Short mmCIF file of all heavy atoms in Angstrom, two decimals:
data_model
loop_
_atom_site.label_atom_id
_atom_site.label_comp_id
_atom_site.label_asym_id
_atom_site.label_seq_id
_atom_site.Cartn_x
_atom_site.Cartn_y
_atom_site.Cartn_z
N ASN W 297 93.10 111.88 29.47
CA ASN W 297 93.90 112.69 28.55
C ASN W 297 93.26 114.06 28.37
O ASN W 297 92.04 114.18 28.35
CB ASN W 297 94.00 112.01 27.17
CG ASN W 297 94.97 110.85 27.16
OD1 ASN W 297 96.05 110.93 27.74
ND2 ASN W 297 94.60 109.77 26.49
N ASP W 298 94.09 115.06 28.24
CA ASP W 298 93.61 116.41 28.00
C ASP W 298 93.61 116.67 26.50
O ASP W 298 94.50 117.34 25.96
CB ASP W 298 94.50 117.43 28.73
CG ASP W 298 93.98 118.86 28.58
OD1 ASP W 298 92.78 119.01 28.24
OD2 ASP W 298 94.77 119.80 28.80
N LEU W 299 92.62 116.12 25.82
CA LEU W 299 92.50 116.26 24.38
C LEU W 299 91.20 116.97 24.03
O LEU W 299 90.18 116.76 24.69
CB LEU W 299 92.52 114.88 23.69
CG LEU W 299 93.78 114.04 23.84
CD1 LEU W 299 93.53 112.64 23.29
CD2 LEU W 299 94.95 114.69 23.13
N ALA W 300 91.22 117.78 23.01
CA ALA W 300 90.00 118.47 22.58
C ALA W 300 88.95 117.48 22.10
O ALA W 300 87.76 117.77 22.13
CB ALA W 300 90.33 119.47 21.47
N PHE W 301 89.41 116.30 21.67
CA PHE W 301 88.49 115.27 21.17
C PHE W 301 88.47 114.05 22.07
O PHE W 301 88.22 112.93 21.63
CB PHE W 301 88.88 114.87 19.74
CG PHE W 301 90.34 114.47 19.59
CD1 PHE W 301 90.75 113.16 19.74
CD2 PHE W 301 91.29 115.43 19.29
CE1 PHE W 301 92.08 112.80 19.61
CE2 PHE W 301 92.63 115.08 19.15
CZ PHE W 301 93.02 113.76 19.30
N ALA W 302 88.73 114.26 23.37
CA ALA W 302 88.67 113.15 24.33
C ALA W 302 87.27 112.55 24.37
O ALA W 302 86.29 113.20 24.01
CB ALA W 302 89.08 113.64 25.71
N SER W 303 87.18 111.34 24.83
CA SER W 303 85.90 110.63 24.89
C SER W 303 84.86 111.41 25.67
O SER W 303 85.14 111.92 26.76
CB SER W 303 86.10 109.26 25.53
OG SER W 303 84.85 108.63 25.78
N VAL W 304 83.67 111.50 25.11
CA VAL W 304 82.57 112.15 25.81
C VAL W 304 81.72 111.14 26.57
O VAL W 304 80.77 111.54 27.26
CB VAL W 304 81.67 112.93 24.82
CG1 VAL W 304 82.47 114.02 24.11
CG2 VAL W 304 81.02 111.99 23.81
N HIS W 305 82.05 109.88 26.46
CA HIS W 305 81.28 108.83 27.13
C HIS W 305 82.05 108.33 28.34
O HIS W 305 83.14 107.77 28.21
CB HIS W 305 81.01 107.67 26.16
CG HIS W 305 80.17 108.06 24.98
ND1 HIS W 305 80.28 107.45 23.75
CD2 HIS W 305 79.22 109.01 24.85
CE1 HIS W 305 79.42 108.00 22.91
NE2 HIS W 305 78.77 108.96 23.56
N ASP W 306 81.49 108.54 29.51
CA ASP W 306 82.14 108.10 30.74
C ASP W 306 82.38 106.59 30.72
O ASP W 306 81.48 105.81 30.40
CB ASP W 306 81.28 108.45 31.96
CG ASP W 306 81.28 109.93 32.25
OD1 ASP W 306 82.19 110.64 31.77
OD2 ASP W 306 80.37 110.40 32.97
N GLY W 307 83.60 106.23 31.08
CA GLY W 307 83.93 104.81 31.19
C GLY W 307 84.12 104.09 29.88
O GLY W 307 84.20 102.86 29.87
N VAL W 308 84.21 104.83 28.78
CA VAL W 308 84.43 104.20 27.47
C VAL W 308 85.52 104.99 26.75
O VAL W 308 85.48 106.22 26.69
CB VAL W 308 83.15 104.18 26.61
CG1 VAL W 308 83.40 103.40 25.31
CG2 VAL W 308 81.99 103.59 27.38
N MET W 309 86.49 104.27 26.18
CA MET W 309 87.63 104.94 25.55
C MET W 309 88.23 104.08 24.46
O MET W 309 88.30 102.86 24.58
CB MET W 309 88.71 105.23 26.61
CG MET W 309 89.98 105.85 26.05
SD MET W 309 91.31 105.90 27.28
CE MET W 309 92.66 106.55 26.29
N HIS W 310 88.69 104.72 23.40
CA HIS W 310 89.51 104.05 22.40
C HIS W 310 90.95 104.09 22.92
O HIS W 310 91.65 105.08 22.75
CB HIS W 310 89.41 104.74 21.05
CG HIS W 310 88.29 104.23 20.20
ND1 HIS W 310 88.24 102.94 19.71
CD2 HIS W 310 87.15 104.82 19.77
CE1 HIS W 310 87.14 102.76 19.00
NE2 HIS W 310 86.45 103.89 19.03
N ALA W 311 91.38 103.00 23.53
CA ALA W 311 92.72 102.93 24.10
C ALA W 311 93.53 101.80 23.47
O ALA W 311 94.53 101.37 24.04
CB ALA W 311 92.64 102.73 25.61
N CYS W 312 93.11 101.35 22.29
CA CYS W 312 93.84 100.26 21.64
C CYS W 312 94.03 100.51 20.15
O CYS W 312 94.40 99.62 19.41
CB CYS W 312 93.11 98.94 21.86
SG CYS W 312 94.15 97.49 21.56
N GLY W 313 93.74 101.73 19.70
CA GLY W 313 94.01 102.07 18.32
C GLY W 313 92.92 101.75 17.33
O GLY W 313 93.07 101.99 16.13
N HIS W 314 91.78 101.22 17.81
CA HIS W 314 90.72 100.84 16.88
C HIS W 314 90.12 102.06 16.17
O HIS W 314 89.63 101.93 15.04
CB HIS W 314 89.63 100.06 17.60
CG HIS W 314 90.08 98.75 18.13
ND1 HIS W 314 89.19 97.81 18.64
CD2 HIS W 314 91.30 98.19 18.26
CE1 HIS W 314 89.86 96.75 19.05
NE2 HIS W 314 91.15 96.97 18.83
N ASP W 315 90.15 103.21 16.83
CA ASP W 315 89.69 104.43 16.16
C ASP W 315 90.57 104.74 14.95
O ASP W 315 90.09 105.14 13.89
CB ASP W 315 89.66 105.61 17.13
CG ASP W 315 90.95 105.76 17.93
OD1 ASP W 315 91.78 104.84 17.94
OD2 ASP W 315 91.13 106.82 18.57
N GLY W 316 91.87 104.51 15.10
CA GLY W 316 92.79 104.68 13.98
C GLY W 316 92.59 103.65 12.90
O GLY W 316 92.67 103.96 11.71
N HIS W 317 92.33 102.41 13.30
CA HIS W 317 92.09 101.34 12.31
C HIS W 317 90.89 101.67 11.43
O HIS W 317 90.93 101.52 10.20
CB HIS W 317 91.84 100.01 13.02
CG HIS W 317 92.96 99.57 13.91
ND1 HIS W 317 92.84 98.54 14.82
CD2 HIS W 317 94.23 100.02 14.03
CE1 HIS W 317 93.98 98.38 15.45
NE2 HIS W 317 94.84 99.27 15.00
N ALA W 318 89.81 102.12 12.08
CA ALA W 318 88.59 102.45 11.33
C ALA W 318 88.83 103.61 10.38
O ALA W 318 88.38 103.59 9.22
CB ALA W 318 87.46 102.78 12.31
N ALA W 319 89.55 104.62 10.84
CA ALA W 319 89.84 105.78 10.00
C ALA W 319 90.74 105.40 8.82
O ALA W 319 90.55 105.87 7.70
CB ALA W 319 90.48 106.88 10.83
N ILE W 320 91.71 104.55 9.09
CA ILE W 320 92.62 104.10 8.03
C ILE W 320 91.86 103.36 6.93
O ILE W 320 92.07 103.60 5.74
CB ILE W 320 93.72 103.19 8.62
CG1 ILE W 320 94.75 104.03 9.37
CG2 ILE W 320 94.41 102.37 7.53
CD1 ILE W 320 95.74 103.21 10.17
N LEU W 321 90.95 102.48 7.32
CA LEU W 321 90.21 101.73 6.31
C LEU W 321 89.22 102.62 5.56
O LEU W 321 88.99 102.43 4.36
CB LEU W 321 89.49 100.54 6.95
CG LEU W 321 88.97 99.49 5.95
CD1 LEU W 321 90.07 98.99 5.03
CD2 LEU W 321 88.32 98.32 6.69
N LEU W 322 88.65 103.60 6.25
CA LEU W 322 87.78 104.57 5.57
C LEU W 322 88.56 105.34 4.51
O LEU W 322 88.10 105.52 3.37
CB LEU W 322 87.18 105.55 6.58
CG LEU W 322 85.76 105.31 7.08
CD1 LEU W 322 85.31 106.48 7.95
CD2 LEU W 322 84.78 105.09 5.95
N ALA W 323 89.75 105.81 4.89
CA ALA W 323 90.56 106.55 3.94
C ALA W 323 91.00 105.66 2.78
O ALA W 323 91.04 106.10 1.62
CB ALA W 323 91.78 107.14 4.65
N THR W 324 91.33 104.41 3.09
CA THR W 324 91.68 103.46 2.03
C THR W 324 90.53 103.29 1.07
O THR W 324 90.71 103.25 -0.16
CB THR W 324 92.06 102.10 2.66
OG1 THR W 324 93.16 102.27 3.55
CG2 THR W 324 92.42 101.09 1.59
N ALA W 325 89.32 103.20 1.62
CA ALA W 325 88.13 103.04 0.79
C ALA W 325 87.96 104.24 -0.15
O ALA W 325 87.62 104.08 -1.33
CB ALA W 325 86.90 102.89 1.67
N LYS W 326 88.19 105.43 0.38
CA LYS W 326 88.01 106.63 -0.45
C LYS W 326 89.02 106.67 -1.59
O LYS W 326 88.66 106.97 -2.75
CB LYS W 326 88.13 107.89 0.40
CG LYS W 326 87.84 109.16 -0.39
CD LYS W 326 87.60 110.36 0.51
CE LYS W 326 87.14 111.56 -0.32
NZ LYS W 326 86.79 112.72 0.51
N VAL W 327 90.26 106.36 -1.30
CA VAL W 327 91.29 106.34 -2.34
C VAL W 327 90.98 105.29 -3.40
O VAL W 327 91.00 105.56 -4.61
CB VAL W 327 92.68 106.09 -1.74
CG1 VAL W 327 93.72 105.90 -2.85
CG2 VAL W 327 93.10 107.24 -0.83
N LEU W 328 90.64 104.07 -2.96
CA LEU W 328 90.40 102.99 -3.91
C LEU W 328 89.12 103.18 -4.70
O LEU W 328 89.02 102.70 -5.84
CB LEU W 328 90.37 101.65 -3.16
CG LEU W 328 91.69 101.22 -2.51
CD1 LEU W 328 91.49 99.90 -1.75
CD2 LEU W 328 92.80 101.08 -3.54
N SER W 329 88.14 103.85 -4.11
CA SER W 329 86.89 104.09 -4.84
C SER W 329 87.13 104.92 -6.09
O SER W 329 86.38 104.83 -7.07
CB SER W 329 85.86 104.78 -3.94
OG SER W 329 86.25 106.12 -3.65
N ARG W 330 88.19 105.72 -6.07
CA ARG W 330 88.54 106.55 -7.22
C ARG W 330 89.39 105.80 -8.24
O ARG W 330 89.65 106.32 -9.33
CB ARG W 330 89.30 107.80 -6.74
CG ARG W 330 88.49 108.69 -5.79
CD ARG W 330 89.37 109.75 -5.17
NE ARG W 330 88.61 110.69 -4.35
CZ ARG W 330 89.17 111.67 -3.63
NH1 ARG W 330 90.48 111.82 -3.65
NH2 ARG W 330 88.42 112.48 -2.92
N GLN W 331 89.85 104.60 -7.86
CA GLN W 331 90.73 103.82 -8.73
C GLN W 331 90.07 102.55 -9.25
O GLN W 331 90.75 101.65 -9.73
CB GLN W 331 92.01 103.47 -7.97
CG GLN W 331 92.80 104.67 -7.49
CD GLN W 331 94.03 104.29 -6.71
OE1 GLN W 331 94.27 103.12 -6.41
NE2 GLN W 331 94.83 105.28 -6.37
N LYS W 332 88.77 102.49 -9.13
CA LYS W 332 88.04 101.29 -9.51
C LYS W 332 88.40 100.82 -10.92
O LYS W 332 88.55 99.61 -11.17
CB LYS W 332 86.53 101.56 -9.41
CG LYS W 332 85.66 100.39 -9.83
CD LYS W 332 84.19 100.72 -9.63
CE LYS W 332 83.32 99.54 -10.06
NZ LYS W 332 81.88 99.80 -9.82
N GLY W 333 88.57 101.74 -11.84
CA GLY W 333 88.86 101.38 -13.22
C GLY W 333 90.24 100.81 -13.45
O GLY W 333 90.51 100.28 -14.53
N THR W 334 91.12 100.93 -12.47
CA THR W 334 92.49 100.41 -12.63
C THR W 334 92.69 99.06 -11.96
O THR W 334 93.79 98.50 -12.01
CB THR W 334 93.51 101.40 -12.04
OG1 THR W 334 93.37 101.43 -10.60
CG2 THR W 334 93.30 102.80 -12.61
N LEU W 335 91.64 98.52 -11.35
CA LEU W 335 91.76 97.28 -10.58
C LEU W 335 91.13 96.11 -11.31
O LEU W 335 90.13 96.26 -12.01
CB LEU W 335 91.10 97.45 -9.21
CG LEU W 335 91.61 98.59 -8.32
CD1 LEU W 335 90.81 98.65 -7.04
CD2 LEU W 335 93.10 98.44 -8.04
N SER W 336 91.72 94.95 -11.12
CA SER W 336 91.15 93.70 -11.60
C SER W 336 90.85 92.83 -10.39
O SER W 336 91.78 92.39 -9.70
CB SER W 336 92.12 92.98 -12.55
OG SER W 336 92.30 93.70 -13.74
N GLY W 337 89.59 92.57 -10.16
CA GLY W 337 89.21 91.79 -9.00
C GLY W 337 88.31 92.57 -8.08
O GLY W 337 87.63 93.51 -8.50
N GLU W 338 88.34 92.20 -6.81
CA GLU W 338 87.40 92.77 -5.85
C GLU W 338 88.09 93.02 -4.52
O GLU W 338 88.90 92.21 -4.06
CB GLU W 338 86.23 91.80 -5.66
CG GLU W 338 85.16 92.25 -4.68
CD GLU W 338 84.03 91.24 -4.58
OE1 GLU W 338 83.51 90.80 -5.64
OE2 GLU W 338 83.66 90.87 -3.44
N VAL W 339 87.75 94.16 -3.92
CA VAL W 339 88.24 94.49 -2.58
C VAL W 339 87.05 94.52 -1.63
O VAL W 339 86.05 95.19 -1.89
CB VAL W 339 88.94 95.86 -2.55
CG1 VAL W 339 89.53 96.11 -1.15
CG2 VAL W 339 90.01 95.96 -3.60
N ARG W 340 87.16 93.79 -0.52
CA ARG W 340 86.13 93.82 0.51
C ARG W 340 86.69 94.54 1.74
O ARG W 340 87.72 94.13 2.29
CB ARG W 340 85.66 92.41 0.88
CG ARG W 340 84.98 91.72 -0.29
CD ARG W 340 84.38 90.39 0.09
NE ARG W 340 83.96 89.66 -1.10
CZ ARG W 340 83.49 88.41 -1.08
NH1 ARG W 340 83.37 87.77 0.08
NH2 ARG W 340 83.15 87.81 -2.22
N LEU W 341 86.03 95.59 2.13
CA LEU W 341 86.45 96.41 3.26
C LEU W 341 85.57 96.06 4.46
O LEU W 341 84.40 96.41 4.50
CB LEU W 341 86.31 97.89 2.89
CG LEU W 341 86.98 98.27 1.55
CD1 LEU W 341 86.39 99.54 0.99
CD2 LEU W 341 88.48 98.39 1.73
#
Side-chain angles (χ1 to χ4, degrees):
N297 284 318
D298 183 19
L299 297 171
F301 52 91
S303 171
V304 299
H305 298 150
D306 288 341
V308 186
M309 176 190 176
H310 272 294
C312 198
H314 295 190
D315 49 347
H317 302 167
I320 285 171
L321 194 54
L322 261 186
T324 301
K326 185 165 187 175
V327 173
L328 294 178
S329 69
R330 299 170 175 176
Q331 301 178 354
K332 178 177 180 177
T334 69
L335 303 177
S336 293
E338 180 179 311
V339 184
R340 296 186 190 174
L341 309 159

